[in-house]
Amino acid sequence: MTLEERANVTRGFRSDNVCAGNTGSVPRLGWPGMCVHDAGNGVRATDLVNSYPSGIHVGASWDRNLTYERGFYMGKEFKAKGVNVSLGPNAGPLGRTPLGGRNWEGFSVDPYLSGQLNAETIIGMQEAGVIANIKHFIANEQETLRRPYFGVEAVSANIDDRTLHEYYLWPFMDSVHAGVGSVMCSYNRINNTYGCKNNKLMNGILKTELGFQGFVMLDWDAQHDLQSANNGLDMVMPLDGSWGKKLIDAVANGMVISVFLNADFTGYRIIAAWYLVGQDGDKFPAAGIGLKQLTQPHEQVDARDPASQPVILEGAVAGHVLVKNQNDALPLKRGLTMISVFGYDATIPRTKNTDLLFQHGYTSSPEMGQAVLGHEAHFDQAAKGGTIVTGGRAGANSPAYIDDPLSAIQHRARKDGTWVNWDLDSSNPDVNAASDACIVFINAIATEGWDREGLHDDFSDHLVKNAASKCPNTIVVIHAAGIYLVDQWIEHPNITAAIIAHLPGQDSGKALVKLLYGEANFSGKLPYTIAKKESDYPVYEPCKRISADDINPQCDFTEGVYLDYRAFDAKGITPRFEFGYGLSYTSFNYSSLSIEPSKYLRQSSCSGDNIWQPAAKVAATITNTGSVSGQEVAQLYVAIPNSPPKQLRGFNKVLLSPQGSETVQFELTRRDFSIWDVVSQSWVIQEGEYEIFVGASSRDIRLRGTLRVANS
């Protein structure tokens, strides 16, 4: 390639499609260029696609198989629309602050659970023929001050080396190990150097330490100067501007190192990923072919595969978490005479916005753009415009339809001969005394560009309490883009059941009704901890400027790896509902723990591929002791010396018929027992006792055992 052709591979160009970005092409060599596009739960800004459950909903399923299938079918839709690179999945933010506006795009606050589900998504997407893009590298843990604006630098996430490796890097390691084709560097600074010009992170850790062979692309417009090209950035998006010309001139003047001239040309990483997933030849549609302007005449491309429908519905079911079920209020009994439905979240939104930016609750439209630049902006996190099936902005897409809760309940009522009342507007609804059950629907929206202002809202809490004061069988359903605190009403004696319904995608109502009536069993578990009060979280609010004159905001991650359940355990704080918690319509017994160490479990340093060597096998028997079929998520935690009291290191979801049993197995690697040693710059297995816990949640431990690591 000529120098100009090489530049074309690595920079963005305008096109006639609505791809989030388009690379240039190399016509002389038949390289067509690529379309890169959002989003995390389906193809964004287009029609004739599906809206899949969002990341947090998938995280609550704790289901590797469903996660892989979701990634595969989403990948097929991206390919049908001519998208070469899908901008997802999401390993950052993990959720350092529970107020994080984009936490819902990721799977979990826990790095192990996040890593496992990101890896499954990547494998599924790339087997479908689309390059996955794991983002945002790294420590992109808040929307507040995420970008520089008006002379104020982006916030600097100041992280020690051990915390970086053991927490924030962990899911990126799994993603690279799964063969991810691309990584997106983040807007924020890390230890006072911007992510997209950070040589230590991109060249030192990602490309050298982790051995990443794909390409690094920036978050949109996150280039700062030409040193980004020297420091590991491979692709600039969305539009080139003057970057390409400056880059070519800098190479000619010797300002940019020779990777643009020799066999290590950075664009080869891009082309290698293109070949990796099979986009060469006539195997892939034209870039952006199904992403034309919707307001202009265009060829319609229906990307929906009928085979995806069971996956979408099953995924919607699996992410619901039952957190309270007093006196077996659920499942609803057959032959109910009357059901009353309350709450703004019960019905379909008034309008359908193809981009779902999202239509609920913004204070004024100009703030949308300002918020992205870091300007303080506010919105009502109670999305009163209708039920939510996803969060907002770049992580969202438009559903083919929305099966809303009220419609689904009415369809079931028609079948059963049940009378349905509804009042979706009042905060203090009248309740028909003959109601057999009252179902109250509330929500909490979140979006790129803003961090949330709290973990609950007064309007929704008052609505719940008012309904419960008049109805002795009140069931609360919360569609939530993150943690929602329930302590204002959860112990009310008339609140018999509560469901964290997360963000189920387009089959929301159908999935919920199957669960309410016992046609499906709850199997979801919380991928985070629900505290009793805000101050229980080790980090609550995002970092802010310390004064109006502060142009260099700093955010010190002094809590280290002690986040969520790790911090609750270490500090002895009792949560309302712990990490990994979730009820079922049946019960499970745990027995017969066995622990078998391998020859690789010994005191030693680990690096390269040997961190993935098997270190131990753990097994346990799970028995369904109830009267209905159900799925249980058996969870394995390890107590590592000089570390948090326990850390998730395995999970296994099994389906069991009544009185049925199955032996679940967990295979642990050397990395699972290691800490990061900052002196040797390697993973190290320490000498000492390692306690093994197997149970139904981080607090509901059923089996315990111990491994001894001797001095090698």
Side-chain angles (χ1 to χ4, degrees):
M1 292 184 185
T2 66
L3 184 56
E4 289 75 13
E5 288 171 338
R6 296 182 182 204
N8 275 359
V9 172
T10 65
R11 64 187 184 183
F13 281 84
R14 290 190 183 277
S15 184
D16 62 351
N17 57 49
V18 295
C19 298
N22 291 270
T23 70
S25 60
V26 185
R28 182 176 66 88
L29 299 178
W31 194 71
M34 300 197 299
C35 161
V36 301
H37 198 50
D38 301 304
N41 67 322
V43 189
R44 182 188 182 200
T46 189
D47 52 13
L48 303 178
V49 293
N50 289 305
S51 185
Y52 291 76
S54 293
I56 195 171
H57 200 89
V58 178
S61 77
W62 293 63
D63 193 314
R64 288 185 177 89
N65 292 332
L66 270 177
T67 304
Y68 164 81
E69 290 181 330
R70 170 182 176 268
F72 178 77
Y73 284 109
M74 280 175 50
K76 289 189 70 174
E77 293 188 26
F78 278 100
K79 179 177 180 179
K81 290 288 187 176
V83 179
N84 301 82
V85 184
S86 168
L87 299 177
N90 199 325
L94 279 171
R96 177 180 182 261
T97 164
L99 297 179
R102 300 188 78 172
N103 292 354
W104 63 274
E105 295 183 42
F107 299 111
S108 174
V109 66
D110 181 78
Y112 181 90
L113 180 55
S114 172
Q116 293 292 302
L117 299 185
N118 272 294
E120 293 292 345
T121 302
I122 288 162
I123 293 169
M125 281 185 166
Q126 296 194 164
E127 286 186 0
V130 171
I131 301 168
N133 175 255
I134 189 71
K135 60 185 186 181
H136 304 84
F137 190 71
I138 194 168
N140 179 45
E141 292 296 317
Q142 60 181 67
E143 296 301 282
T144 304
L145 299 170
R146 68 171 183 161
R147 296 184 67 171
Y149 74 104
F150 302 141
V152 178
E153 300 288 352
V155 68
S156 175
N158 301 323
I159 313 178
D160 67 89
D161 193 28
R162 181 176 175 185
T163 298
L164 180 75
H165 280 78
E166 292 186 17
Y167 208 88
Y168 298 98
L169 188 66
W170 188 283
F172 287 96
M173 294 178 69
D174 286 311
S175 300
V176 171
H177 188 60
V180 70
S182 62
V183 172
M184 181 183 290
C185 54
S186 59
Y187 285 127
N188 57 288
R189 295 180 293 164
I190 302 92
N191 296 334
N192 286 290
T193 300
Y194 278 99
C196 291
K197 60 179 291 187
N198 196 310
N199 183 62
K200 172 63 176 178
L201 290 173
M202 292 192 291
N203 284 332
I205 292 179
L206 182 61
K207 292 183 177 179
T208 302
E209 182 184 313
L210 302 190
F212 174 58
Q213 297 181 22
F215 63 94
V216 177
M217 65 190 310
L218 47 65
D219 208 340
W220 268 218
D221 295 316
Q223 68 267 33
H224 297 276
D225 56 47
L226 290 173
Q227 281 305 310
S228 296
N230 283 337
N231 293 348
L233 182 65
D234 301 311
M235 181 185 288
V236 174
M237 282 289 161
L239 300 176
D240 177 77
S242 61
W243 176 268
K245 178 63 166 60
K246 289 180 178 178
L247 194 58
I248 292 170
D249 291 344
V251 171
N253 296 331
M255 295 172 58
V256 172
I257 55 177
S258 59
V259 292
F260 252 77
L261 299 175
N262 60 26
D264 295 325
F265 163 48
T266 185
Y268 290 159
R269 289 176 170 267
I270 299 169
I271 296 170
W274 184 74
Y275 275 109
L276 173 72
V277 300
Q279 295 182 359
D280 54 305
D282 59 357
K283 302 173 186 176
F284 204 84
I289 189 171
L291 292 169
K292 305 303 180 182
Q293 291 285 350
L294 297 181
T295 57
Q296 302 296 323
H298 63 281
E299 177 187 356
Q300 289 188 322
V301 176
D302 192 339
R304 296 168 294 178
D305 185 338
S308 68
Q309 295 307 304
V311 174
I312 295 171
L313 177 58
E314 189 177 349
V317 169
H320 288 74
V321 182
L322 180 64
V323 295
K324 182 178 182 179
N325 194 20
Q326 178 178 298
N327 302 323
D328 294 327
L330 293 177
L332 294 173
K333 308 303 183 285
R334 295 187 181 276
L336 294 182
T337 302
M338 183 179 294
I339 293 176
S340 293
V341 176
F342 305 116
Y344 54 87
D345 180 69
T347 192
I348 196 166
R350 282 21 171 203
T351 61
K352 183 177 181 181
N353 182 332
T354 306
D355 206 13
L356 283 186
L357 286 178
F358 197 72
Q359 64 262 33
H360 304 292
Y362 295 115
T363 55
S364 65
S365 56
E367 288 181 340
M368 179 163 288
Q370 292 171 344
V372 176
L373 296 175
H375 186 277
E376 184 176 359
H378 305 273
F379 74 101
D380 185 354
Q381 69 171 323
K384 299 186 183 73
T387 194
I388 59 173
V389 299
T390 178
R393 289 182 63 84
N397 82 327
S398 179
Y401 54 83
I402 294 179
D403 191 338
D404 63 279
L406 178 57
S407 296
I409 290 170
Q410 289 177 324
H411 292 156
R412 177 61 190 241
R414 179 183 181 185
K415 176 182 176 181
D416 293 350
T418 303
W419 176 280
V420 180
N421 306 306
W422 64 90
D423 178 353
L424 310 185
D425 297 319
S426 175
S427 63
N428 189 13
D430 294 327
V431 176
N432 189 314
S435 299
D436 295 299
C438 301
I439 309 177
V440 184
F441 289 89
I442 61 175
N443 64 40
I445 190 71
T447 178
E448 178 190 12
W450 292 271
D451 290 314
R452 296 168 63 192
E453 297 188 2
L455 298 180
H456 62 95
D457 71 276
D458 291 340
F459 180 90
S460 301
D461 289 341
H462 289 155
L463 168 61
V464 170
K465 289 186 285 188
N466 288 335
S469 69
K470 304 170 186 176
C471 184
N473 184 22
T474 299
I475 298 160
V476 183
V477 179
I478 310 170
H479 286 109
I483 294 169
Y484 193 97
L485 298 188
V486 298
D487 264 63
Q488 289 201 23
W489 46 261
I490 192 67
E491 293 184 343
H492 194 293
N494 287 350
I495 294 178
T496 55
I499 300 165
I500 309 298
H502 292 117
L503 302 170
Q506 64 196 34
D507 280 344
S508 176
K510 185 175 183 180
L512 178 65
V513 166
K514 286 174 71 69
L515 290 162
L516 289 176
Y517 284 88
E519 294 172 355
N521 199 342
F522 285 93
S523 65
K525 304 271 190 172
L526 293 175
Y528 50 73
T529 296
I530 297 179
K532 293 185 175 181
K533 57 183 183 296
E534 290 87 346
S535 60
D536 286 344
Y537 290 102
V539 177
Y540 177 59
E541 293 186 318
C543 296
K544 300 177 181 177
R545 298 164 68 192
I546 60 175
S547 70
D549 298 326
D550 182 11
I551 62 171
N552 186 28
Q554 303 292 310
C555 191
D556 299 331
F557 286 35
T558 53
E559 72 285 348
V561 299
Y562 288 82
L563 287 166
D564 201 76
Y565 70 91
R566 302 179 181 197
F568 281 72
D569 288 351
K571 296 177 181 179
I573 300 172
T574 301
R576 170 57 62 186
F577 300 115
E578 71 269 18
F579 176 85
Y581 175 84
L583 300 175
S584 170
Y585 291 149
T586 189
S587 56
F588 300 94
N589 181 66
Y590 288 62
S591 64
S592 305
L593 178 68
S594 67
I595 303 173
E596 180 184 346
S598 82
K599 63 181 180 180
Y600 298 111
L601 185 62
R602 59 181 183 273
Q603 183 188 22
S604 63
S605 295
C606 316
S607 60
D609 287 342
N610 70 16
I611 66 171
W612 306 104
Q613 289 175 329
K617 290 184 179 179
V618 178
T621 299
I622 313 298
T623 302
N624 182 347
T625 56
S627 58
V628 297
S629 295
Q631 290 178 289
E632 172 68 333
V633 180
Q635 302 161 40
L636 183 147
Y637 298 84
V638 178
I640 299 171
N642 306 305
S643 300
K646 66 174 76 77
Q647 299 178 67
L648 182 69
R649 287 295 185 264
F651 62 93
N652 201 320
K653 191 168 189 175
V654 291
L655 172 62
L656 297 171
S657 57
Q659 308 307 310
S661 295
E662 184 171 329
T663 298
V664 296
Q665 299 197 14
F666 309 90
E667 295 189 1
L668 281 70
T669 67
R670 286 161 63 90
R671 183 182 64 147
D672 293 326
F673 288 93
S674 297
I675 65 168
W676 178 256
D677 182 68
V678 299
V679 176
S680 66
Q681 288 290 287
S682 64
W683 293 94
V684 171
I685 299 176
Q686 306 165 86
E687 180 183 12
E689 300 280 341
Y690 291 74
E691 194 167 6
I692 306 296
F693 310 91
V694 176
S697 76
S698 62
R699 290 285 172 109
D700 186 4
I701 300 301
R702 309 288 183 88
L703 304 170
R704 297 170 183 256
T706 303
L707 276 173
R708 172 73 188 176
V709 174
N711 191 322
S712 59

